[in-house]
Each structure stands twice: as C-alpha cells, then as structure tokens.
Amino acid sequence: QDGAPDWDLFKGRVGGAIERARAAARKSTIRVYSEIVDILSQRGKKAAVLRLEDQWNRLIGYHSFPLFCAYFTDHVFSDDSRFLRDVWRRHTHLVSA
C-alpha cells in the first residue's frame, strides 16, 4: 500500500507495544515518537505519510498517548504547500525548529 502500514498489523504491533509500555510504566506517562513519517516523505510517499498520520490518530483514540512526529521540513514542504496543509490538519500542535 504505497509504504503505509496495514491498519490491523499497525494496531496490533504498535498498539500492543504501547499497551506493554504503559503497563511497565505504571503511573508514569508514556510518550511516543515517530520518525517513520519523515522516512516515508523522504522517499516521496506522500499518500503513505497521510495514511500513517491518520493511523496514528486512530491509535491515539484507542490508547490516549502523546505522539511526537518529526519531519525535516527542508525536503518535505519546500515544493508542496498542499501536502504541508494536509499534514498540519492531522496534528494538534506544531513546533518548528
């Protein structure tokens, strides 16, 4: 599917890892960091990036955790403002460094 993960596999593997981390952390908050979105974008797989962003948001609905995504903006957004807007719409907060 253009490099995007299968939802059932993603939910099982990543969701399972989040559940295990939460159980091990007990009362501590877990945080999730993803750079796979950037790897996909570097490979020009914009549709896969958007699907993965949607899958992360869907998984947050099941497990409620903070997710931090990282993109190198130089190569991702310099030529496609529509893609940038599509990515931004899938996030609640944006930080530029």
Side-chain angles (χ1 to χ4, degrees):
Q1 288 186 358
D2 192 25
D6 171 85
W7 167 246
D8 292 325
L9 185 59
F10 183 76
K11 181 181 175 196
R13 295 274 173 97
V14 177
I18 290 168
E19 288 174 6
R20 289 187 299 280
R22 179 168 282 133
R26 296 197 178 114
K27 294 185 180 182
S28 298
T29 301
I30 65 159
R31 292 169 185 84
V32 177
Y33 173 81
S34 173
E35 65 180 271
I36 190 67
V37 288
D38 186 57
I39 292 168
L40 289 169
S41 68
Q42 286 181 41
R43 295 179 180 172
K45 308 241 181 223
K46 293 178 181 179
V49 168
L50 298 177
R51 283 196 308 271
L52 181 57
E53 290 284 4
D54 290 339
Q55 289 183 5
W56 274 118
N57 287 332
R58 194 170 168 193
L59 196 62
I60 289 168
Y62 285 97
H63 298 287
S64 186
F65 57 89
L67 173 66
F68 299 88
C69 297
Y71 288 92
F72 284 103
T73 55
D74 295 4
H75 65 83
V76 177
F77 305 127
S78 60
D79 66 336
D80 192 342
S81 61
R82 184 206 277 167
F83 179 63
L84 173 61
R85 284 191 305 274
D86 288 344
V87 169
W88 281 358
R89 274 183 256 180
R90 287 163 168 84
H91 292 86
T92 57
H93 296 79
L94 296 171
V95 177
S96 178

